[in-house]
Amino acid sequence: MEAVLDQVRVKPQPRRVFMLGVALALAVVIFAIDTLSPLDMAIAVLYAVVVLFLTNEVERRTLLLVGAACVGLTMLSFTIMHRENYNLASVMRCIVSIAAISVTTLLSLKNQKATRALREQADLLDLSHDAVFVRGDSDIITYWNQGAERLYGWPRAEAVGRKASQLLHTVFPESPLEIREAVHRAGRWEGELSHTRRDGTPVVVMSRWSLQRDARGRPIATMETNSDITQRKRAEDGLHQAQAELAHVTRVATMGELTASIAHEINQPLAAVVTNGEACLRWLGRDVPDLGEAKSAVEQMIRNGRRASEVVARLRALARRGEPLRLPVDINEATGEALLLLERELSNHRVALDLSLDPKGPHVLGDRVQLQQVLINLALNAIQAMDAVPEARRCLHLETSTRDEAGQRRVLIKITDTGPGVDPQNLPLLFNAFYSTKSDGMGMGLSISRSIIEAHNGLVSATLVEGGGMCFSVTLSEHEEPSS
């Protein structure tokens, strides 16, 4: 590969003149030996060396002229040597020499054509904006296009002959040995790599590898095409950060709407702690202290204190800003915790709750806080939507279940209300950012909910219920707990 690529490089003019001079001197020497030597040998066959010597140095027309000149010199030498003594042996030697020169010239012209085609292909690679380089199976660079020079800052002369991974300080997404085995197995590979430019700045590229094999199927070279995606990755990271910030703002806004429920939820266990504490004092204040009842009252105080602590912990989790976690989550438990924060809203809006939880307690792999945020958003929207219908019809149905879908176990969460629903024409717009059916709505809750569920490789959808109302469905992959 390296030798072929060396051929496609354009030779400088001084070198070409020098090579022509050497070829001329060689032809003169051969002519002198063929004409003056008494040896009965086909000395003129050596003119083929002159043709081969100039194959990669001159153009097609010049090479034809060189071949014709060598044939002419052969015939001239034959005429000088045998003008008065023609015999069959000398004629055959002349014919063999002319045939050898002619065949060599034709083969050289064919080689020139192939070389010219390879040069044109190499020139096309230089037109590419992407970095393209070829490396052997030992990772040694044998070709380096202009796109690679622009991207990495290494000129071709300094890059060729060096190991690609060492030159570019490549950071692989997985083991290099595993990637190499994948390339040998499939003949190609694609993925993101981190490189370092000559000036030390990092660059992220989308890399595509293509393997070249010899006639026996053995790997001989790999062509690597790299596209700079550094700015795109920075934009994606910025977008993810913005989405995380927006989700945090939405959680805080949701907590603001649930302030009354929060106070109610905390006040209940705190009031129970006070009541049990007073009862404990009364049992201990008797002439004969009732230690059993006092112990029971203290145990009740501990349970209610822990309940209040759990409520505070859930609220802090919803309010904090942090990276999403991927841990097993019991959907039934997460749903129950979310509903505790909605008790006050259910009471204020006079909405009945119809709860149907899967008895198997399905688990999913995800971020508990984010999933609870989705449940609270969907349930709160459903509760508020039912203000427009008579109190007797207000009912929030919440159901969890599992099912088989395309050979995979899926967890389904359904939140259904009995409100007025929406215009069927507006149904596809519900999850769009800044679209809201409420006059004071921001239009971000459903959009963020969809982003969270899709980040968990799930789906969220909305359908109209016959007779009035909406049904929001969340589908996630079930996580099987490893058996101990």
Side-chain angles (χ1 to χ4, degrees), residues 150-154 167-169 194-204 228 230 234:
R150 289 191 296 268
L151 178 60
Y152 298 115
W154 294 95
L167 177 71
L168 303 176
H169 303 286
S194 294
H195 288 154
T196 301
R197 294 187 176 98
R198 187 178 187 182
D199 60 6
T201 58
V203 57
V204 182
D228 186 3
T230 306
R234 289 175 180 170

Side-chain angles (χ1 to χ4, degrees), residues 324-395:
L325 303 176
R326 289 293 182 270
L327 299 172
V329 178
D330 187 319
I331 285 297
N332 288 351
E333 287 185 3
T335 301
E337 292 174 358
L339 288 175
L340 287 175
L341 298 178
L342 291 167
E343 280 186 353
R344 189 72 174 183
E345 292 295 321
L346 290 167
S347 175
N348 287 344
H349 291 268
R350 310 217 182 270
V351 174
L353 177 63
D354 179 19
L355 191 61
S356 176
L357 301 180
D358 191 320
K360 297 180 181 179
H363 287 69
V364 299
L365 194 64
D367 187 290
R368 188 185 197 90
V369 171
Q370 288 193 349
L371 293 175
Q372 286 179 333
Q373 179 185 355
V374 172
L375 294 175
I376 291 174
N377 283 342
L378 297 180
L380 193 58
N381 284 344
I383 291 171
Q384 294 172 352
M386 287 185 280
D387 285 342
V389 299
E391 182 179 330
R393 288 182 49 196
R394 299 175 190 172
C395 184

Side-chain angles (χ1 to χ4, degrees), residues 228-343:
D228 186 3
I229 59 170
T230 306
Q231 295 300 324
R232 191 180 81 185
K233 290 294 293 182
R234 289 175 180 170
E236 288 178 357
D237 293 341
L239 179 60
H240 292 158
Q241 182 64 27
Q243 288 178 336
E245 294 287 342
L246 188 56
H248 168 71
V249 171
T250 304
R251 286 201 297 270
V252 174
T254 302
M255 287 178 58
E257 297 182 26
L258 298 174
T259 301
S261 296
I262 294 169
H264 173 73
E265 184 65 20
I266 294 179
N267 282 336
Q268 279 187 334
L270 292 181
V273 168
V274 173
T275 301
N276 286 309
E278 293 173 347
C280 180
L281 291 176
R282 287 197 301 271
W283 292 118
L284 293 175
R286 287 188 170 189
D287 295 336
V288 179
D290 193 333
L291 298 181
E293 291 292 344
K295 180 181 178 182
S296 177
V298 171
E299 289 174 348
Q300 289 288 338
M301 292 168 61
I302 293 173
R303 280 196 293 270
N304 283 287
R306 287 175 176 170
R307 181 183 173 190
S309 176
E310 289 172 358
V311 172
V312 173
R314 288 199 300 271
L315 295 175
R316 292 183 63 185
L318 280 172
R320 75 171 182 266
R321 181 188 293 111
E323 291 296 320
L325 303 176
R326 289 293 182 270
L327 299 172
V329 178
D330 187 319
I331 285 297
N332 288 351
E333 287 185 3
T335 301
E337 292 174 358
L339 288 175
L340 287 175
L341 298 178
L342 291 167
E343 280 186 353

